[in-house]
Amino acid sequence: MKKAIGALCLFLWGCATPPPEPPPEYGVSGKGLPQSSAVIHLAQRIAEDLERHHDLPDKTKLIAVTTPVWLDEIDSSGRLALQLGDGLVSALHQRGFNLIELNSSRQIRVSDRGNLILSRDYERLQGSLPVSQVLVATLSRDSHGVIINSRLVDIASNRVASTSQAFLPWQDSSGYLEQSNSVTEQGGLLYRQEEPGRTPVREVTP
């Protein structure tokens, strides 16, 4: 009798305990990104899209990942773009793509700041690289966040082999973005909005 009562209690306790919730799939469900490591999850989602939508998948082709740029300032980037570019290198490599490091110089520089090989000085970098495809991405701001459009392009033909579209809300950007102020500057003139957030978000500068 005692065994039966004990089994019944265990059964009722099991029914009362809700099953653990599975972790959210950010690339599929469309839910917001977590507050921490948002750019890492964003890069993984873009890499997943590029792999899924590649019309001629060939992971032996050598790919160069360029730094994303702002759509309205095609020659400039920022903290968010630089971090996203590095994140895309990691995310694509983890999916088996063949990547090349663009910022690797010809030799290691030994100094009191450390043993360094990465550089942004074009004179230190390697000349010609056997790259088949290049990943390019643009960032576009609206009042809620940033739209990221990415594409893999064949260098020989300029043919687009794969694309991805993603969105990063400013609230989920881990401090890279902030809501616009009620007073904004455009063309040297100041404009006052009724409330903050009526104009495109801003990138936070350190």
Side-chain angles (χ1 to χ4, degrees):
M1 184 66 179
K2 291 182 178 179
K3 291 183 179 180
I5 294 175
L8 179 61
C9 290
L10 288 174
F11 174 77
L12 293 175
W13 180 82
C15 293
T17 305
E21 293 186 5
E25 298 181 6
Y26 297 102
V28 177
S29 68
K31 294 181 179 179
L33 295 168
Q35 287 293 335
S36 60
S37 306
V39 178
I40 296 175
H41 289 271
L42 180 63
Q44 292 172 347
R45 176 181 174 183
I46 292 173
E48 179 185 353
D49 282 348
L50 291 172
E51 181 178 32
R52 181 189 298 123
H53 301 300
H54 206 302
D55 53 6
L56 294 173
D58 182 0
K59 292 186 178 180
T60 64
K61 290 186 176 181
L62 197 58
I63 297 174
V65 178
T66 61
T67 303
V69 295
W70 292 106
L71 188 60
D72 55 350
E73 300 174 52
I74 204 71
D75 292 325
S76 66
S77 59
R79 291 174 60 241
L80 175 60
L82 290 170
Q83 184 61 52
L84 180 57
D86 275 358
L88 286 169
V89 172
S90 297
L92 287 169
H93 184 269
Q94 291 168 9
R95 290 184 170 272
F97 285 91
N98 192 19
L99 303 174
I100 193 167
E101 174 55 66
L102 293 176
N103 296 117
S104 179
S105 58
R106 297 187 183 93
Q107 59 186 7
I108 297 175
R109 305 184 305 283
V110 179
S111 69
D112 55 0
R113 293 180 295 172
N115 303 327
L116 311 175
I117 193 170
L118 296 181
S119 175
R120 297 193 186 279
D121 183 354
Y122 74 94
E123 294 182 348
R124 295 179 181 270
L125 304 179
Q126 300 182 40
S128 59
L129 300 172
V131 175
S132 299
Q133 294 183 337
V134 61
L135 174 60
V136 297
T138 58
L139 310 176
S140 178
R141 288 172 279 239
D142 66 17
S143 59
H144 301 290
V146 168
I147 303 166
I148 304 97
N149 285 292
S150 310
R151 50 197 174 274
L152 274 173
V153 181
D154 282 309
I155 288 183
S157 63
N158 280 341
R159 180 179 177 277
V160 176
S162 185
T163 62
S164 168
Q165 291 180 307
F167 181 76
L168 178 64
W170 72 267
Q171 301 96 323
D172 299 337
S173 68
S174 297
Y176 285 97
L177 303 170
E178 64 182 3
Q179 196 177 33
S180 63
N181 293 330
S182 56
V183 178
T184 59
E185 185 271 337
Q186 297 180 23
L189 300 176
L190 295 178
Y191 295 87
R192 182 178 296 277
Q193 307 292 333
E194 294 181 1
E195 57 186 23
R198 302 295 293 271
T199 57
V201 298
R202 302 186 306 170
E203 187 173 24
V204 176
T205 55

